[in-house]
């Protein structure tokens, strides 16, 4: 039995960190459908099903060719079963019925709306949905308690829904660097997240902050945040100090770095309306001289910088796969603080992303190919 050409050609490594995933790809319609179904599963609390769709979508993102048939994908990792039906429907009808059904699914639409608020996760959205919340204005009910994050998320909802362009991200960077450099002039500030992976827009702007001298970092974030606040540049901030305890414990993928989740008031370029500062005209957005932008600031000790850079560049799925690969294939625990051998009970240091990939026995994947 001779296999068809296509079966031979299409091979994809099983872990996303073993392959190159560019920003744009050949099978967007199928990928969008799979990601929507993955999101729907997550919003129903089915993490396992959600991950299956996410993995299938990610595999297709790394395919260099446009699929002609579902059969062509059937031997690719995670692309069998349910995923086959989705591919077939999209290729034959241009739409996937399961995805179409989501458009008229009230629970899905509502859960999507609520989880798109800053500070609202699936758990909270579910509780609110059960309590009858269907639209943003339903959250005005005094019986519904909002956290400070969520309150800010609702207040600035419209601005935060608009994608942040690279041009705006660059202006945010200028603003953030200006604030930080007032306190430590030679501080290293790097834009991470989606923009480092080459995305042209994002839902926020992420920064990683470090300095070889640990003393320079001590208390810095608070001072810089307080200064920005005093200048009317902050609409909201939630600063968290470093918790060393969590650092190398497994099953704590997120990190204990000092972080600030902020909403910045980015001044508009058109200065003719200047003078309408923060808090002046929230009900008439056209008259405002600023726009709300979500910003994440993370401070890392110098010896953890490479790990933090790798961990905060993403994509989320790429990170998840890196950790899964490290653990299952190398028996090593990776997070944004370091690499840890549970067997030898010691940390393995590294000073660059290239070095970390090498330590894991992986070929280096540049940021623009981590869009898994
Ligand atoms: N991250 C993290 N801990 C958090 C939040 C995020 O380690 N508490 C990491 C994520 O794993 C991701 C990176 O930070 O690798 C950026 O996250 P995020 O800003 O949510 O996503 P982006 O890839 O930047 O996409 P977007 O353009 O939507 O912001
Ligand atoms: Mn981001
Ligand atoms: Mn972020
Ligand atoms: Mn650490």
């Amino acid at each position: 039995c001779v296999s068809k050409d296509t079966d031979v050609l299409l091979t994809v490594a099983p872990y996303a960190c073993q392959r190159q995933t560019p920003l744009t790809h050949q099978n967007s319609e199928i990928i969008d459908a799979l990601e929507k179904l993955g999101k729907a599963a997550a919003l129903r609390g089915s993490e396992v099903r959600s991950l299956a769709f996410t993995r299938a979508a990610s595999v297709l993102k790394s395919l260099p060719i446009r699929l002609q048939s579902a059969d062509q994908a059937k031997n690719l990792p995670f692309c069998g079963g349910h995923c086959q039906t989705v591919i077939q429907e999209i290729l034959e009808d241009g739409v996937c019925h399961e995805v179409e059904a989501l458009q008229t699914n009230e629970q899905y639409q509502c859960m999507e709306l609520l989880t798109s608020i800053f500070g609202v996760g699936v758990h909270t959205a579910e509780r609110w949905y059960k309590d009858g919340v269907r639209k943003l204005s339903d959250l005005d009910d005094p019986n519904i308690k909002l956290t400070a994050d969520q309150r800010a998320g609702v207040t600035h909802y419209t601005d935060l829904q608009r994608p942040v362009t690279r041009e705006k991200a660059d202006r945010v960077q200028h603003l953030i660097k200006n604030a930080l450099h007032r306190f430590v002039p030679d501080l290293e500030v790097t834009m991470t997240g989606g923009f480092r992976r080459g995305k042209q827009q994002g839902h926020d702007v992420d920064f990683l902050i470090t300095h070889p001298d640990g003393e320079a970092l001590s208390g810095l974030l608070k001072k810089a945040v307080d200064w920005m606040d005093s200048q009317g540049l902050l609409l909201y901030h939630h600063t968290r100090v470093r918790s060393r305890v969590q650092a190398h414990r497994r099953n704590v993928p997120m990190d204990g770095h000092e972080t600030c989740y902020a909403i910045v008031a980015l001044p508009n370029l058109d200065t003719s309306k200047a003078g309408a500062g923060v808090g002046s005209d929230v009900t008439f957005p056209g008259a405002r001289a600023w726009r709300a932008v979500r910003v994440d600031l993370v401070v890392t000790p110098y010896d953890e910088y490479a790990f933090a850079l790798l961990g905060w560049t993403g994509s989320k799925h790429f990170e998840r796969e890196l950790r899964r690969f490290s653990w299952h294939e190398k028996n090593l625990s990776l997070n944004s603080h370091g690499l840890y051998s549970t067997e030898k009970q010691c940390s393995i240091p590294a000073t660059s992303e290239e070095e970390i990939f090498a330590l894991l026995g992986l070929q280096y994947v540049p940021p623009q190919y981590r869009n898994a």
Side-chain angles (χ1 to χ4, degrees):
C1 168
V2 181
S3 53
K4 283 177 287 178
D5 281 357
T6 50
D7 293 340
V8 182
L9 281 172
L10 294 185
T11 56
V12 170
Y15 290 90
C17 54
Q18 293 173 304
R19 39 183 208 249
Q20 306 232 328
T21 314
L23 196 53
T24 55
H25 22 76
Q26 302 292 320
N27 296 279
S28 302
E29 299 86 353
I30 296 168
I31 289 160
D32 288 351
L34 291 168
E35 288 192 327
K36 269 231 176 73
L37 295 176
K39 182 163 191 192
L43 293 180
R44 285 193 308 268
S46 324
E47 274 308 320
V48 175
R49 281 174 57 86
S50 171
L51 196 52
F53 284 121
T54 303
R55 284 180 178 156
S58 175
V59 164
L60 298 187
K61 283 180 193 173
S62 71
L63 274 193
I65 60 140
R66 219 172 140 78
L67 287 173
Q68 305 292 330
S69 72
D71 216 41
Q72 250 183 318
K74 74 170 187 291
N75 292 322
L76 294 176
F78 310 109
C79 292
H82 196 150
C83 177
Q84 283 284 298
T85 318
V86 178
I87 299 176
Q88 195 166 350
E89 285 191 11
I90 298 276
L91 288 179
E92 285 172 11
D93 314 332
V95 289
C96 167
H97 300 99
E98 227 180 317
V99 173
E100 291 290 286
L102 292 174
Q103 307 306 319
T104 53
N105 181 324
E106 193 200 19
Q107 178 158 3
Y108 172 81
Q109 293 297 331
C110 183
M111 288 293 290
E112 192 182 36
L113 172 78
L114 295 176
T115 54
S116 72
I117 303 168
F118 169 57
V120 180
V122 174
H123 197 77
T124 304
E126 213 159 42
R127 202 176 62 230
W128 288 347
Y129 185 80
K130 283 193 183 121
D131 288 343
V133 177
R134 294 293 179 271
K135 49 192 190 306
L136 290 184
S137 59
D138 293 342
L139 293 171
D140 294 338
D141 184 334
N143 290 316
I144 295 170
K145 297 274 171 281
L146 301 186
T147 64
D149 281 7
Q150 292 160 358
R151 171 83 46 212
V154 171
T155 303
H156 302 290
Y157 186 79
T158 314
D159 271 12
L160 298 187
Q161 279 306 107
R162 291 168 57 197
V164 182
T165 58
R166 184 168 280 278
E167 177 268 323
K168 288 206 168 53
D170 287 339
R171 285 202 286 124
V172 168
Q173 170 159 257
H174 189 78
L175 186 153
I176 295 293
K177 280 187 172 172
N178 176 46
L180 290 164
H181 287 154
R182 301 180 79 83
F183 300 96
V184 183
D186 58 346
L187 202 67
E188 291 176 34
V189 183
T190 310
M191 204 191 285
T192 59
F195 286 109
R196 183 161 183 256
R197 301 197 308 276
K199 282 178 66 175
Q200 291 305 310
Q201 53 180 46
H203 96 283
D204 69 356
V205 197
D206 307 283
F207 296 97
L208 190 61
I209 299 154
T210 196
H211 194 279
D213 174 12
E215 279 304 303
L217 297 174
S218 169
L220 167 78
L221 197 56
K222 189 186 167 355
K223 278 187 276 188
V225 163
D226 284 348
W227 181 81
M228 284 193 282
D229 213 3
S230 74
Q231 300 299 302
L233 293 170
L234 286 186
L235 296 158
Y236 178 75
H237 68 95
H238 175 169
T239 307
R240 194 190 64 181
V241 296
R242 179 176 168 83
S243 77
R244 281 197 171 270
V245 197
Q246 294 194 347
H248 288 299
R249 214 188 281 158
R250 212 186 120 62
N251 297 329
V252 186
M254 288 312 155
D255 62 286
H257 287 123
E258 195 175 340
T259 49
C260 174
Y261 305 101
I263 301 176
V264 162
L266 182 67
N268 292 338
L269 275 184
D270 174 10
T271 49
S272 64
K273 284 162 187 151
V278 170
S280 62
D281 233 343
V282 190
T283 48
F284 299 102
R288 283 204 261 111
W290 51 272
R291 160 184 171 186
V293 176
R294 271 272 300 117
V295 171
D296 285 340
L297 304 175
V298 181
V299 178
T300 175
Y302 206 64
D303 62 342
E304 295 181 11
Y305 177 72
F307 295 98
L309 182 62
L310 181 59
W312 285 85
T313 296
S315 68
K316 282 198 180 80
H317 188 60
F318 190 89
E319 302 298 333
R320 190 191 291 133
E321 290 280 278
L322 259 180
R323 290 192 298 266
R324 188 167 72 96
F325 178 87
S326 305
W327 189 246
H328 290 284
E329 305 299 325
K330 303 290 164 178
N331 208 6
L332 296 171
S333 168
L334 174 74
N335 64 21
S336 48
H337 294 274
L339 186 62
Y340 188 76
S341 164
T342 34
E343 198 182 326
K344 296 178 188 156
Q345 299 202 10
C346 68
S347 290
I348 305 165
T351 57
S352 69
E353 289 182 318
E354 284 87 344
E355 202 180 335
I356 301 170
F357 279 89
L359 285 168
L360 293 171
L362 287 169
Q363 222 162 53
Y364 179 65
V365 181
Q368 63 270 32
Y369 292 109
R370 296 181 203 160
N371 289 290

